[in-house]
Amino acid sequence: MASNKVTINDVGPRDGLQNQPKVLNLEQRLSLILALEAAGVPEIEVGAFVSPKAVPAMAGTADLFAMLPKGSARYSALIPNMKGFELALEANVPLTSLVIAASNTMNEKNIRMTTQQSVNVSRDVLSLAKSKGANVQAYVATAWACPFEGKIAPDEVYRVTERLIEAGASGIVIADTIGAANPAQVQSLMGGLVSRFDSDILSCHFHDTRAMGLANTYAAIEAGIRKFDASIAGLGGCPFAPGASGNVATEDVVMMLEQMGFDTGINIPLLLKASNVAIALTGTATGGKAKSWMEKYYNN
């Protein structure tokens, strides 16, 4: 029987902020992370070890890690390549994340490599990580659709996932990068992945581009997935993927899961305060779709 415990990884401080018009300073980014941790969010994506010229919002990520308290949350950071991994290693980052798109064109647009070249680079990183005792997970991006190639065949996702697991990835995050999937497609692909691999190492990352983020989360739950990315206040969007609007909002996901009887370990009133922090800091976030109702219901 599948577990009643669901783990949420809030990607707001990285994925949520990377495409915002306003670039936050380190103290502002830290305040958002601390608000999420205060709410009991168990995993938080802090930042990315990428070129500050390419992604100004992620500048100073190593300094940000040095500012973090030794709390209960598990912190992670995105790395694009070996150089990013080496920088993360120096900063003592407990979990790093590689991104490999199932689509060749997306890889070429994002990191100037084909999917196969990206897998090869990932193998090198994962091999070094193993020798260092470091923990590296891998995202399989554009798992359902690519903004350049259209629909992605499930076999491509299975193939990339298998290669990354064989190379030593500690976890695989299946990402609907542009929010193009529907629940039937999610249940089909995730069901296929669960039948081929250990469900404990699989998780999902959904965008709410077509207002199906929650429905897709439910479909993945039905397929046996028990770990999800979400972004506080619905912040998000990939600067290299046209049409990738905000991620599914953490507060909406937690509300749905808790009302369905799942245990996230997250304090919803404090999560709503974290959402307000994100809204105030960015000036663009609007909060989850159910936020106004949640504030009335949970704060009474």
Side-chain angles (χ1 to χ4, degrees):
M1 182 177 292
S3 170
N4 196 50
K5 176 74 175 178
V6 177
T7 301
I8 300 297
N9 174 45
D10 197 295
V11 299
R14 196 282 299 178
D15 198 4
L17 297 181
Q18 69 175 1
N19 205 30
Q20 295 299 307
K22 181 181 178 182
V23 175
L24 303 186
N25 62 38
L26 292 181
E27 288 73 19
Q28 291 170 321
R29 289 161 64 186
L30 178 63
S31 70
L32 179 58
I33 293 165
L34 294 180
L36 291 167
E37 186 157 354
V41 176
E43 300 191 8
I44 302 170
E45 187 180 39
V46 169
F49 289 88
V50 294
S51 165
K53 291 182 179 179
V55 189
M58 293 296 102
T61 291
D63 294 328
L64 183 55
F65 267 94
M67 297 164 69
L68 294 173
K70 292 182 179 180
S72 57
R74 185 191 197 195
Y75 301 126
S76 66
L78 181 76
I79 53 169
N81 48 33
M82 182 67 78
K83 178 62 175 177
F85 173 69
E86 291 170 347
L87 291 171
L89 204 59
E90 290 175 9
N92 296 313
V93 177
L95 173 66
T96 53
S97 306
L98 290 161
V99 179
I100 302 91
S103 152
N104 266 316
T105 309
M106 184 62 191
N107 275 308
E108 289 167 350
K109 295 280 187 180
N110 193 11
I111 53 176
R112 298 184 181 88
M113 286 188 272
T114 66
T115 298
Q116 184 56 55
Q117 288 171 329
S118 184
V119 169
N120 291 341
V121 169
S122 298
R123 282 177 176 153
D124 292 340
V125 171
L126 290 165
S127 176
L128 179 59
K130 184 177 181 180
S131 71
K132 299 288 186 180
N135 195 13
V136 182
Q137 66 179 1
Y139 279 74
V140 180
T142 60
W144 284 274
C146 167
F148 309 105
E149 296 182 12
K151 188 176 179 180
I152 300 298
D155 283 346
E156 286 300 304
V157 180
Y158 301 150
R159 181 178 61 83
V160 173
T161 298
E162 183 175 29
R163 290 181 179 180
L164 291 168
I165 291 173
E166 288 175 348
S170 63
I172 301 292
V173 188
I174 305 300
D176 184 18
T177 308
I178 59 172
N182 65 54
Q185 293 170 327
V186 169
Q187 191 159 17
S188 176
L189 180 63
M190 297 315 300
L193 285 162
V194 167
S195 71
R196 289 166 172 79
F197 310 105
D198 184 351
S199 62
D200 288 345
I201 69 169
L202 298 170
S203 58
C204 286
H205 174 108
F206 293 118
H207 285 246
D208 209 27
T209 311
R210 304 180 190 181
M212 284 195 276
L214 277 184
N216 288 337
T217 301
Y218 176 79
I221 283 278
E222 288 291 284
I225 303 303
R226 292 295 182 270
K227 182 177 177 182
F228 295 90
D229 283 0
S231 182
I232 193 66
L235 286 169
C238 176
F240 307 106
S245 61
N247 297 51
V248 63
T250 305
E251 53 267 43
D252 286 345
V253 172
V254 172
M255 177 201 69
M256 180 184 76
L257 292 171
E258 292 285 344
Q259 292 197 0
M260 289 174 63
F262 289 101
D263 175 22
T264 65
I266 294 173
N267 181 301
I268 291 181
L270 291 180
L271 186 65
L272 292 172
K273 288 185 178 181
S275 179
N276 287 335
V277 170
I279 291 169
L281 287 174
T282 64
T284 56
T286 58
K289 290 182 171 64
K291 186 170 184 292
S292 60
W293 176 85
M294 291 171 69
E295 287 178 327
K296 295 176 183 176
Y297 182 84
Y298 288 100
N299 291 328
N300 284 338

